[in-house]
Amino acid sequence: MKYEIQKDKILIFDKSEFCPKHILECGQIFSYKKTDEAYIVYSSDKKAIVVEKSNCCEILTDDVPYFVNFFDLDTDYSQIKCDLLKKYPFMKKSIDFGYGIRILKQDFFETIISFIISSNNNIKRIQKILFNIRERFGKNMGDYYSFPTPQMLKIATEQDFKEMGAGYRAKYLVKATEQLLNVDFLEVAKLDTMQLNKFLLSIMGVGQKVADCIMLFAFAKQNVFPVDTWIEKVYCTYFEQEHNRDIIHKKLIDTFGDMSGYAQQYLFYSQREIKE
DNA sequence: TTTCAGGTTGAAC
DNA sequence: GTTCAACCTGAA
C-alpha cells in the first residue's frame, strides 16, 4: 500500500485499505484507547496515535519503522480482498463491511499473555487486566507504561495476577511467563505453522483457539483459522449446522487454505458487528 | 437469580 | 482419544 513517511508521522492516503476502527476493533488487539478524535495504540514499549482525517489517516509515533511493520503497511490488501471475493463470493458482505482491516504484527510475548487472558472473558475486562499489568509491571514511559518483558513479569505472583483481575487465569499467567523466560522468540518465529502450533500449545493457558490467534496476530501466519463462538455462528450461517469446534476448524482451514487468516478477520468482524 | 463473555484444563470414561 | 464439568468476575 502507498504511504508517506515524515519525521514522526506516517501518512496513508488510501482509506479503502486502512480504517483505524476496523483494524483496532476487529478483535486482534486489546491495548488501545479510543478518544473522540483518535485511537491511541500501545504495543510493547511503543505508542502511536492514529487519527482519521477527511482525506487520509495519520499515524503519529516516535518509532515509525516499528509501526510500518506493526500495521503491515507493505502488504497489498486490495489484492487480498480481490482474491478472496473471486474465490468466495459469499464473503462480499463481510469484506465490504470490514474493508479497512489489516492484520497486525504484534509483539510475541504481549500477544501470548493477552490471548491467555482472553479465554472465556469479555473485551472490557481483558483490556482492564492488560492495562493493570502494564501499570504494575511495565516501565514508566511518561504518559504510559510499557508491556513488561518476561524478565520483568517473572516477579508477578498468582496473587498479583488475581488482584489485577485475571481470576482463575492467574496461575496460567505465572506458569506461562516462567515457560517463556528463556525462549528466543526470533528462533520461534522461524518455525513453520505446525511446529509453532505445537510449541504454543505447550504453554499453560494456550489451547487451539488462543494458539491460532497468537499465530495470526503476532507471527503473521495465514494458514490458521481461530474458531470462537462468533465463527461458530458464521459457520452455521454459511456452511452447515455443526457444533464440534475441531471439525469446524478443520473444514475452514480446508476451505480457505493460505487465505484463512484474512478470511477469518472479515467474517469474524462482520458477524460480531452487524446486529440483525 | 441466572446467564454470558474471543476457552482451557484436568479428570473420568 | 474423547467428553465434560469447573472456572474468576461483573454486567445484563
Side-chain angles (χ1 to χ4, degrees):
Chain A
M1 184 185 60
K2 229 172 72 178
Y3 58 92
E4 186 181 319
I5 290 178
Q6 297 182 356
K7 269 177 291 184
D8 297 329
K9 197 190 284 187
I10 307 165
L11 292 171
I12 295 144
F13 295 102
D14 188 355
K15 287 169 68 177
S16 75
E17 271 194 70
F18 188 103
C19 173
K21 181 182 170 65
H22 295 173
I23 294 167
L24 298 169
E25 296 184 15
C26 72
Q28 56 182 330
I29 181 168
F30 303 104
S31 293
Y32 66 88
K33 286 176 180 168
K34 187 184 190 323
T35 69
D36 288 338
E37 60 284 340
Y39 285 92
I40 308 171
V41 182
Y42 306 90
S43 174
S44 185
D45 58 348
K46 324 283 188 193
K47 182 184 96 168
I49 299 170
V50 185
V51 188
E52 184 168 3
K53 304 210 164 176
S54 57
N55 63 328
C56 70
C57 285
E58 290 184 358
I59 303 170
L60 288 80
T61 174
D62 51 12
D63 197 331
V64 165
Y66 181 85
F67 283 101
V68 166
N69 176 66
F70 182 83
F71 283 108
D72 198 21
L73 295 186
D74 291 316
T75 296
D76 183 352
Y77 279 76
S78 292
Q79 187 62 51
I80 290 165
K81 286 183 282 185
C82 261
D83 292 348
L84 279 173
L85 209 49
K86 199 170 168 186
K87 251 184 126 175
Y88 315 101
F90 82 94
M91 286 187 65
K92 177 165 175 41
K93 190 178 165 190
S94 294
I95 292 172
D96 285 348
F97 184 78
Y99 63 87
I101 287 175
R102 309 182 74 78
I103 298 186
L104 301 173
K105 293 180 181 170
Q106 302 184 67
D107 178 79
F108 302 137
F109 180 62
E110 181 173 5
T111 306
I112 293 170
I113 296 298
S114 299
F115 280 91
I116 288 174
I117 292 169
S118 79
S119 75
N120 195 22
N121 211 340
N122 63 62
I123 293 169
K124 200 174 169 188
R125 185 184 292 117
I126 298 165
Q127 293 178 321
K128 192 177 145 204
I129 297 166
L130 287 170
F131 278 115
N132 283 342
I133 290 175
R134 280 175 174 271
E135 272 186 38
R136 192 146 164 201
F137 294 97
K139 183 182 170 200
N140 189 333
M141 306 296 288
D143 60 339
Y144 68 100
Y145 289 85
S146 72
F147 196 85
T149 60
Q151 288 69 32
M152 292 158 78
L153 200 56
K154 73 177 175 189
I155 62 169
T157 64
E158 184 175 337
Q159 183 59 35
D160 289 330
F161 284 118
K162 280 185 176 165
E163 283 169 15
M164 292 186 284
Y168 67 89
R169 304 167 198 83
K171 58 176 177 290
Y172 302 162
L173 295 172
V174 172
K175 180 70 177 168
T177 301
E178 184 193 321
Q179 286 177 283
L180 295 170
L181 210 48
N182 294 312
V183 168
D184 182 350
F185 283 106
L186 292 177
E187 287 302 315
V188 172
K190 293 177 185 168
L191 300 175
D192 65 35
T193 301
M194 287 278 274
Q195 294 171 314
L196 180 57
N197 187 239
K198 195 176 168 191
F199 167 72
L200 292 172
L201 288 177
S202 74
I203 299 168
M204 179 65 80
V206 178
Q208 190 57 62
K209 188 270 174 182
V210 167
D212 282 332
C213 286
I214 296 165
M215 289 194 283
L216 182 56
F217 305 138
F219 290 91
K221 299 292 187 192
Q222 291 306 326
N223 52 343
V224 301
F225 206 117
V227 177
D228 53 32
T229 54
W230 295 101
I231 291 299
E232 283 179 351
K233 289 176 192 170
V234 171
Y235 192 86
C236 288
T237 304
Y238 294 110
F239 293 80
E240 54 195 288
Q241 286 295 122
E242 172 64 61
H243 297 293
N244 183 317
R245 264 194 197 192
D246 288 340
I247 294 172
I248 294 174
H249 184 250
K250 191 176 181 307
K251 288 190 176 178
L252 287 171
I253 293 276
D254 278 351
T255 302
F256 292 99
D258 289 333
M259 300 294 277
S260 293
Y262 298 115
Q264 196 269 359
Q265 281 299 275
Y266 295 112
L267 293 171
F268 172 84
Y269 182 60
S270 60
Q271 180 69 36
R272 198 186 60 182
E273 295 296 316
I274 299 176
K275 320 268 188 232
E276 289 176 356

